[in-house]
Amino acid sequence: MSLVNYLVLSAILFSLGATTVLLRRNAIIVFMGVELMLNASNLALVTFSRMHGNLTGQVLAFFVMVVAAAEVVVGLAVIIAIFRTRKSASVDDVNLLKS
Amino acid sequence: MSALAAGPVLATLHAGQASTGEAILFWVLAPIMVLAALGLLLARKAVHAALAVILVMICLAFMYVAQDAVFLGVVQVVVYTGAIMMLFLFVLMLVGVDQSDSLVETIRGQRWIGLLAGIGLAVVLAGVVGRATFPPATGLDSANDPSNPEGLARLVFGSYVFAFEAVGALLVTAALGALVLTHRRRLTPRVGQRELADARVKAGAVLTPLPAPGVYARHNAMDVPALGPDGRPLEHSVPRVLRVRGQQADEREYAARIERVLAGEWAGGEGSTALATTTEAVETPGSDENPPPHARPDVGAPVPGAATDKPAQEEQG
């Protein structure tokens, strides 16, 4: 089995995550789509690291994980703050700047 | 001879290419992962989507371990599955589990445009991956020389130590930011025990416990009103439920006796009963505010405790 299969799987997961971000309205599910994209990129990074025999790809994946953790903390706090004021977690309801 | 020949072949296999076991693992895990990702895209409930993402992440951890990234596999389970997705679940519980998506399109045709964009992205990515030529895979055997975590640590604390510090500062900042974002300032003064007590006194509520039914009466059943210090029955000592149902004891017999007592004739006699009936007849029209179903002649309207009766009854109700 060629290692390219991992890359194809990563591409599929990434596009599924992107589609989730584009299609879903629930802010939390949108966030999970972002997480899926980050995970897919991590898989690609690990595969590249194995292809080139170099651990730098894994280090980069590690940093991606840390940054994703920070991003999730802040993003979920924003979602909760919005939910407290608007009583909704739908991204369509946050349209205060419209009109 | 075959063993000698198989040795280098296995070594080259392990260096770059995936072994048969890894291929089996991949072809088992990959459909599961794609299905779970589709579940994230299509699930109606947010909790199901979160569980699908957890499944994807655990499968990814298996793949990391299979690809000689042992440390990342463990970190994937601990950080992503254990911390981040649990945080997601917590927020889902806070926000409301039943929050399903609305199907109203605010932008016309957004669903199909989004679907088209996703498919287009998949085609572009697959095209890039398919057209690229990769060098023969080297494998991580030399890079992972003592072990995978040691090699990673050498890089993280060597070449990338500044990025590591920056990431630490980022984590602290993110934690503080989450605290600030979810902080709620108190708009009303805090209501403690003392403030509650002051409010009750100001509202004129009865401060003492309400009298228990049957105290100082001839019977101590629940439906017999207690007697006050003046000998009059206290209406609000009978539980409200019994009063509403009209199940409290018939006061007529008690009233006669009480009137006798109040008239000073403890032993009882004809004259005193006559007096009692006359007082009953006088006091019946202006008796009380809630006459029971069987038109009971109320005993004492102008009792000294009558002023405190109303708030007590209100408070009991």
Side-chain angles (χ1 to χ4, degrees), chain B residues 195-283:
Chain B
E195 287 80 8
L196 272 178
D198 288 347
R200 280 190 71 183
V201 171
K202 205 173 286 179
V206 178
L207 297 181
T208 56
L210 294 177
V215 176
Y216 295 131
R218 288 295 290 269
H219 308 281
N220 59 357
M222 286 293 280
D223 56 345
V224 179
L227 297 186
D230 54 346
R232 308 258 180 199
L234 300 174
E235 276 298 307
H236 56 274
S237 64
V238 177
R240 192 179 61 94
V241 178
L242 293 183
R243 275 187 281 140
V244 167
R245 287 185 190 155
Q247 283 179 337
Q248 59 180 329
D250 188 11
E251 279 183 4
R252 211 168 303 172
E253 54 186 87
Y254 298 108
R257 189 155 53 227
I258 289 162
E259 290 300 326
R260 279 205 305 273
V261 171
L262 288 181
E265 300 182 22
W266 180 250
E270 288 89 356
S272 68
T273 49
L275 179 76
T277 47
T278 50
T279 53
E280 262 180 26
V282 167
E283 282 178 357

Side-chain angles (χ1 to χ4, degrees), chain B residues 11-238:
Chain B
T12 51
L13 255 183
H14 191 62
Q17 301 301 311
S19 63
T20 318
E22 192 186 337
I24 293 174
L25 183 76
F26 178 85
W27 289 116
V28 168
L29 288 186
I32 296 178
M33 287 166 71
V34 173
L35 282 180
L38 277 175
L40 166 68
L41 180 56
L42 301 175
R44 174 71 65 198
K45 290 184 175 174
V47 174
H48 296 170
L51 291 180
V53 175
I54 288 175
L55 185 59
V56 172
M57 286 173 175
I58 290 178
C59 293
L60 269 178
F62 277 109
M63 286 197 168
Y64 290 168
V65 174
Q67 287 201 296
D68 290 335
V70 186
F71 180 72
L72 278 189
V74 175
V75 169
Q76 172 86 10
V77 171
V78 172
V79 172
Y80 262 119
T81 320
I84 293 183
M85 288 320 292
M86 291 308 121
L87 197 63
F88 267 104
L89 283 179
F90 268 121
V91 171
L92 274 180
M93 298 302 160
L94 267 178
V95 166
V97 178
D98 288 333
Q99 191 123 53
S100 55
D101 269 351
S102 72
L103 294 174
V104 184
E105 286 187 328
T106 46
I107 307 171
R108 183 193 299 262
Q110 186 220 0
R111 205 174 304 148
W112 298 111
I113 294 175
L115 205 61
L116 203 66
I119 293 174
L121 182 64
V123 168
V124 167
L125 286 177
V128 168
V129 170
R131 288 176 61 90
T133 52
F134 297 103
T138 324
L140 283 170
D141 284 340
S142 59
N144 278 345
D145 186 17
S147 69
N148 174 252
E150 283 181 58
L152 270 182
R154 208 159 277 138
L155 273 177
V156 167
F157 297 114
S159 327
Y160 299 100
V161 67
F162 185 70
F164 188 71
E165 304 267 348
V167 155
L170 174 73
L171 274 181
V172 175
T173 315
L176 277 179
L179 282 182
V180 170
L181 278 174
T182 52
H183 179 70
R184 199 161 20 173
R185 189 176 294 167
R186 177 175 286 281
L187 296 176
T188 55
R190 184 181 162 81
V191 179
Q193 203 171 5
R194 168 169 290 277
E195 287 80 8
L196 272 178
D198 288 347
R200 280 190 71 183
V201 171
K202 205 173 286 179
V206 178
L207 297 181
T208 56
L210 294 177
V215 176
Y216 295 131
R218 288 295 290 269
H219 308 281
N220 59 357
M222 286 293 280
D223 56 345
V224 179
L227 297 186
D230 54 346
R232 308 258 180 199
L234 300 174
E235 276 298 307
H236 56 274
S237 64
V238 177

Side-chain angles (χ1 to χ4, degrees), chain A residues 65-77:
Chain A
M65 282 183 186
V66 179
V67 174
E71 166 244 342
V72 160
V73 166
V74 175
L76 288 180

Side-chain angles (χ1 to χ4, degrees), chain A residues 2-15:
Chain A
S2 162
L3 292 188
V4 181
N5 287 346
Y6 283 111
L7 297 181
V8 173
L9 175 65
S10 157
I12 291 173
L13 289 182
F14 190 91
S15 43

